[in-house]
């Protein structure tokens, strides 16, 4: 009962993307999209139907998000193919999402057209911790290299988040739920269309007592709570028939308790994030030539505290991004479209880790900055009916690492037999993060990471799309991948001492390049509908290995399970009741590069129910991890056990 429109490089299938995902919505998606025109993807930087995209894509619309009942975006994405996560405890703790075994910072996250990344974080990537479902109306996931349109660091893929836009003169919505561990979530939004003005504002408050982030199996007992408040808003004003201006913004503030140094402690962190966007849209040549000029700004502030220290603040960091961009899209003809643009991004960060002793002066902030200017272009051509080919090029000029040119190409062929064939190739280039270069663990001698990958697949629609099956093969190679190297004492490695310190001051570790890593695998999906019964599932086999010469050659990259499977079933009754169940199985993985510490496989089973009181108001309830499975996605960190939630939602 989950409308996940999922198009893999070879397959359009619905997948269970929530705690109680099911396939009824998926099957509806197949029926609605029989002409290939009903499902439009915007993560391609210009609206395209699924049948025009060579890459693997998953799309979750508002109906899917509502039926999922999940609070966080991470949980929504986790049931889709090719995605795994590692989390340092319960809600609010550090969360890394990996697409096809790539590093978490190798995927670009976009919200309302703004790239989200924190220059003060380890790899300059995005932490999904505080991204709640909130007023999100749509999520799109493009798997595989997407660097031509979204920047060189989009090696693993792109997660595109779109907040709700008003469709009526006046509309509103709300969600209220409560459950295990004193968890409460309340959300509301209102918006409308008034003449040339379209506007919407929304807010959410989430609190929970949580679990011990230090795993119970290792002595963790006290609960680490989490709270998050967020607001979002958007407005668009039509200045003329072909000119519009728009502003968007989101702000979130979170506080999470966590455990440090492998034991229960009173540590807690505060995180504040702001995302702003202002743009001007101009359509020319009868709408065939579309132009957008925009400015985007992000600011992420993180602070950690321990009230048991003489100096409570133990860490502080701030990262900012300022981005100007122009994008053009021109329909040369009905069969030829060009997308092109210019971007300039300036990022800076500062961080420090104060000593616990008041007798030790506060250290100066470690600071760093970078600038990158890019130009790109992509051409899409339909030489014959049913066949779409595209190719693109991007040039990045980094103020520290110079220029880099990237290429991409792909094609999709739609056959009258209901068969769809896809293939694509893409490249990526990622400069080291500012933290990796300039922090107390930094290494200014780091080289950029480079990657290239390809995929090919097939999907088949049967019985008027009542059954859809497909599979995708992908392959990716990354060179100069950056990892963290810990230092032991005593050490003769000169990099295990703070550069420039006299006398030499030892440090815990530093970042360095490894020669090579490789990932390949298969994603398979299927969805079927039989009246009110809906079934779907997916399986991902992901081999992500260290291929660098040395002791770790051939080892699994840390925290990446090689096997992941999801399945769901649901049944909708005529009187408004819907019941669903979902299963997720994750195979074993390893917590470290040496593969000395194993993380066992686990199976989670969830149940979901929803009852319509009217066309606009519904009651819902879900039970997650009903067998109370104990598992870890990161060694020594706990995970949520059996949980039960219930609530009410309205859409007006």
């Amino acid at each position: 009962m989950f409308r996940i429109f999922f198009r893999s490089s070879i397959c359009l299938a619905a997948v269970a993307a929530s705690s109680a995902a099911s396939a009824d919505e998926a099957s509806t998606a197949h029926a609605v999209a029989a002409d290939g025109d009903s499902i439009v993807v915007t993560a391609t930087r210009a609206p395209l139907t699924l049948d025009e995209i060579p890459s693997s894509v998953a799309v979750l619309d508002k109906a899917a998000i509502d039926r999922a009942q999940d609070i966080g975006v991470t949980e929504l994405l986790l049931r889709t193919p090719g995605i795994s996560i590692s989390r340092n405890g319960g809600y609010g703790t550090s969360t890394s999402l990996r697409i096809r075994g790539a590093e978490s910072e190798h995927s670009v996250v976009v919200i309302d057209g703004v790239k989200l990344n924190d220059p003060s974080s380890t790899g300059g990537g995005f932490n999904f911790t505080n991204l709640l479902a909130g007023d999100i109306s749509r999520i799109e996931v493009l798997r595989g290299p997407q660097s031509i349109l979204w920047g060189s660091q989009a090696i693993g893929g792109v997660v595109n988040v779109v907040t709700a836009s008003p469709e009526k003169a006046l509309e509103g919505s709300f969600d209220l739920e409560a459950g295990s561990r004193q968890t409460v979530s309340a959300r509301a939004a209102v918006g409308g269309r008034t003449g040339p003005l379209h506007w919407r504002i929304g807010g959410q408050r989430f609190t929970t007592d949580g679990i011990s982030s230090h795993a119970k199996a290792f002595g963790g007992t006290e609960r680490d709570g989490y709270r998050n408040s967020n607001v979002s808003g958007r407005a668009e004003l039509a200045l003329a028939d072909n000119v519009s201006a728009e502003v968007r913004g989101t702000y979130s503030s979170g506080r999470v308790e966590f455990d440090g140094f492998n034991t229960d402690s009173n540590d807690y962190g505060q995180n504040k994030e702001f995302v702003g966007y202002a743009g001007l849209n101009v359509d020319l040549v009868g709408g065939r030539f579309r132009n957008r000029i925009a400015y985007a700004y992000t600011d992420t502030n993180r602070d950690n505290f321990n009230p048991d220290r003489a100096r409570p603040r133990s860490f502080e960091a701030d990262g900012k991004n300022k981005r100007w961009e122009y994008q053009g899209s021109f329909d040369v003809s009905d069969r030829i479209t060009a997308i092109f643009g210019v971007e300039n991004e300036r990022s800076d960060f500062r961080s420090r880790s104060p000593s616990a002793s008041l007798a030790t002066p506060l250290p100066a902030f470690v600071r760093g900055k970078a600038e990158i200017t890019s130009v790109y272009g992509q051409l899409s051509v339909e030489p014959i009916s049913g066949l779409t080919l595209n190719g693109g090029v991007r040039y990045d000029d980094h103020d520290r690492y110079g220029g880099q040119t990237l290429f991409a190409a792909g094609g999709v062929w739609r056959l009258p037999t209901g068969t769809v064939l896809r293939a694509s190739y893409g490249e990526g280039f990622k400069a080291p993060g500012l933290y990796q270069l300039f922090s107390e663990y930094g290494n200014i001698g780091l080289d950029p990471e480079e990657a290239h990958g390809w995929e090919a697949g097939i999907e088949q629609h049967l019985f008027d799309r009542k059954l859809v099956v497909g599979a995708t093969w992908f392959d990716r190679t990354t060179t100069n991948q950056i990892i963290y190297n810990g230092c032991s004492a005593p050490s003769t490695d000169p990099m295990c001492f703070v550069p420039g310190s006299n006398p030499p001051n030892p440090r815990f570790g530093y970042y360095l390049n490894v020669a090579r890593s490789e990932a390949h695998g298969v994603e398979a999906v299927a969805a079927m509908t039989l009246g009110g019964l809906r079934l779907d599932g997916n399986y991902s086999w992901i081999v992500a290995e260290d291929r660098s010469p040395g002791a770790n050659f051939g080892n699994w990259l840390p925290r990446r399970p090689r096997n992941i499977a999801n399945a769901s079933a649901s049944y909708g009754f005529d009187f408004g009741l819907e019941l669903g169940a979902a299963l997720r199985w994750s195979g074993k993985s390893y917590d470290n590069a040496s593969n000395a510490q194993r993380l066992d496989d686990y199976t989670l089973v969830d149940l979901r129910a929803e009852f319509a009181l009217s066309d606009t108001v519904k009651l819902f309830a879900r039970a997650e991890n009903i067998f109370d499975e104990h598992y870890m996605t990161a060694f020594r960190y706990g995970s949520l056990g059996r949980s039960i939630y219930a609530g009410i939602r309205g859409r007006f």
Side-chain angles (χ1 to χ4, degrees):
M1 99 202 111
F2 198 9
R3 184 172 296 174
I4 294 180
F5 301 128
F6 153 40
R7 176 80 78 167
S8 98
S9 96
I10 49 150
C11 130
L12 166 60
V15 292
S18 78
S19 58
S22 64
D24 60 335
E25 290 284 340
S27 302
T28 302
H30 300 156
V32 172
D35 59 1
D37 295 330
S38 298
I39 305 173
V40 177
V41 177
T42 60
T44 53
R45 278 194 176 266
L48 294 174
T49 63
L50 286 168
D51 283 345
E52 298 174 306
I53 303 172
S55 301
S56 304
V57 184
V59 181
L60 287 72
D61 69 356
K62 185 59 176 176
I65 294 170
D66 283 348
R67 285 169 170 76
Q69 303 182 16
D70 282 313
I71 294 169
V73 170
T74 301
E75 288 69 38
L76 286 167
L77 298 176
L78 191 54
R79 305 279 182 177
T80 62
I83 290 183
S84 63
I85 71 162
S86 57
R87 174 179 278 166
N88 295 352
Y91 285 118
T93 56
S94 180
T95 303
S96 297
L97 183 142
R98 299 179 177 89
I99 301 177
R100 291 179 171 174
E103 298 293 335
S104 59
E105 62 266 27
H106 287 173
S107 297
V108 168
V109 180
V110 181
I111 183 165
D112 288 338
V114 181
K115 290 174 63 176
L116 300 182
N117 64 313
D118 176 12
S120 70
S121 68
T122 300
F126 177 70
N127 185 350
F128 277 82
T129 297
N130 293 307
L131 187 57
L132 304 182
D135 205 33
I136 292 173
S137 66
R138 186 178 180 88
I139 303 174
E140 302 168 346
V141 184
L142 274 70
R143 299 191 299 281
Q146 308 293 329
S147 294
I148 300 303
L149 298 180
W150 284 113
S152 53
Q153 67 270 40
I155 294 171
V158 173
V159 176
N160 184 41
V161 176
V162 181
T163 60
S165 181
E167 300 178 354
K168 304 176 183 177
L170 183 64
E171 63 184 33
S173 64
F174 73 87
D175 298 83
L176 179 64
E177 70 173 276
S180 299
R181 305 173 197 89
Q182 303 298 310
T183 299
V184 178
S185 177
R187 187 203 68 85
V190 62
R193 293 173 173 249
T194 306
L197 177 65
H198 301 172
W199 61 277
R200 186 177 176 97
I201 56 174
Q204 182 174 9
R205 172 71 170 175
F206 173 78
T207 64
T208 181
D209 285 352
I211 61 170
S212 175
S213 61
H214 184 54
K216 185 177 180 180
F218 294 93
T221 56
E222 52 83 31
R223 290 186 173 183
D224 294 311
Y226 172 61
R227 65 171 182 256
N228 179 284
S229 301
N230 68 76
V231 294
S232 64
R234 63 190 300 158
E236 181 175 357
L237 180 64
L239 304 176
D241 290 341
N242 64 330
V243 181
S244 65
E246 56 184 330
V247 293
R248 312 171 196 143
T250 62
Y251 174 79
S252 70
S253 177
R255 182 188 187 278
V256 62
E257 298 169 354
F258 61 91
D259 297 322
F261 301 103
N262 298 323
T263 185
D264 283 342
S265 69
N266 292 319
D267 292 88
Y268 67 92
Q270 294 180 338
N271 190 98
K272 297 179 180 179
E273 299 177 43
F274 172 76
V275 179
Y277 172 94
L280 181 68
N281 308 300
V282 181
D283 293 348
L284 303 172
V285 195
R288 292 171 53 200
F289 185 18
R290 298 168 293 279
N291 301 270
R292 179 172 60 86
I293 301 173
Y295 174 75
Y297 175 79
T298 67
D299 186 357
T300 304
N301 183 271
R302 296 179 294 126
D303 297 278
N304 292 345
F305 301 86
N306 185 329
D308 298 328
R309 292 173 27 134
R311 177 180 283 139
R313 190 192 301 267
S314 58
F315 175 77
E316 54 185 315
D318 185 65
K320 294 182 175 67
N321 265 324
K322 301 172 183 177
R323 181 184 183 87
W324 287 96
E325 61 182 32
Y326 162 78
Q327 179 186 310
S329 176
F330 183 65
D331 296 332
V332 180
S333 69
D334 291 342
R335 292 178 178 265
I336 303 175
T337 299
I339 301 173
F340 42 89
V342 180
E343 302 172 343
N344 176 265
E345 181 179 285
R346 298 184 180 187
S347 57
D348 63 79
F349 97 110
R350 66 174 191 174
S351 72
R352 65 180 176 185
S353 301
S355 169
S357 172
L358 295 175
T360 303
L362 282 172
F365 281 104
V366 176
R367 300 175 182 268
K369 61 182 180 179
E371 180 178 0
I372 185 169
T373 301
S374 308
V375 294
Y376 63 87
Q378 178 174 284
L379 190 66
S380 179
V381 180
E382 188 176 1
I384 61 174
S385 181
L387 175 64
T388 300
L389 303 175
N390 66 31
V393 61
R394 183 183 187 94
Y395 178 77
D396 288 333
D397 182 18
H398 194 279
D399 65 350
R400 187 179 184 88
Y401 293 102
Q404 179 78 18
T405 302
L406 305 173
F407 298 94
V412 54
W413 192 10
R414 304 169 296 279
L415 301 176
T417 58
T419 305
V420 180
L421 303 175
R422 280 184 166 78
S424 64
Y425 169 84
E427 298 175 342
F429 157 88
K430 182 182 181 301
L434 296 178
Y435 190 89
Q436 293 169 333
L437 286 170
F438 302 113
S439 73
E440 58 263 45
Y441 310 109
N443 178 2
I444 60 174
L446 290 173
D447 292 321
E449 299 168 293
E450 299 182 16
H452 63 269
W454 63 273
E455 63 176 83
I458 182 172
E459 70 177 38
Q460 182 66 53
H461 307 154
L462 301 167
F463 310 116
D464 195 25
R465 291 182 180 252
K466 290 182 173 58
L467 175 62
V468 178
V469 296
T472 304
W473 172 270
F474 67 88
D475 191 286
R476 182 186 66 253
T477 299
T478 304
T479 56
N480 289 329
Q481 184 162 325
I482 297 172
I483 66 169
Y484 176 78
N485 182 65
C487 293
S488 57
S491 176
T492 59
D493 184 349
M495 290 299 296
C496 286
F497 299 87
V498 177
S501 61
N502 189 18
N505 183 20
R507 57 180 178 173
F508 291 108
Y510 61 93
Y511 293 97
L512 80 162
N513 296 105
V514 297
R516 184 185 182 96
S517 68
E518 295 181 358
H520 62 263
V522 173
E523 296 162 345
V525 297
M528 182 179 68
T529 176
L530 292 172
L533 177 65
R534 308 292 188 265
L535 304 171
D536 73 14
N538 62 72
Y539 167 74
S540 301
W541 176 64
I542 303 171
V543 178
E545 294 181 339
D546 186 338
R547 308 298 293 178
S548 305
N552 293 333
F553 180 86
N555 285 359
W556 296 21
L557 294 179
R559 300 179 180 179
R560 292 158 176 83
R562 185 161 290 186
N563 298 279
I564 304 171
N566 296 284
S568 69
S570 71
Y571 191 85
F573 297 89
D574 294 337
F575 56 89
L577 175 65
E578 297 183 10
L579 301 176
L583 178 146
R584 174 176 175 79
W585 174 72
S586 177
K588 71 175 184 180
S589 61
Y590 295 97
D591 192 66
N592 51 10
S594 66
N595 288 184
Q597 183 57 62
R598 170 175 165 152
L599 300 173
D600 290 333
D601 63 314
Y602 60 90
T603 302
L604 305 179
V605 179
D606 308 324
L607 302 176
R608 186 187 81 73
E610 183 176 271
F611 182 73
L613 297 177
S614 67
D615 292 338
T616 58
V617 179
K618 295 183 179 181
L619 300 175
F620 61 87
R622 69 185 182 279
E624 300 178 348
N625 191 5
I626 62 173
F627 296 112
D628 201 25
E629 179 94 344
H630 296 283
Y631 65 100
M632 291 182 291
T633 59
F635 187 61
R636 289 186 177 272
Y637 290 102
S639 56
L640 292 172
R642 184 185 299 113
S643 307
I644 299 175
Y645 307 92
I648 185 171
R649 84 165 62 96
R651 305 286 182 263
F652 306 98

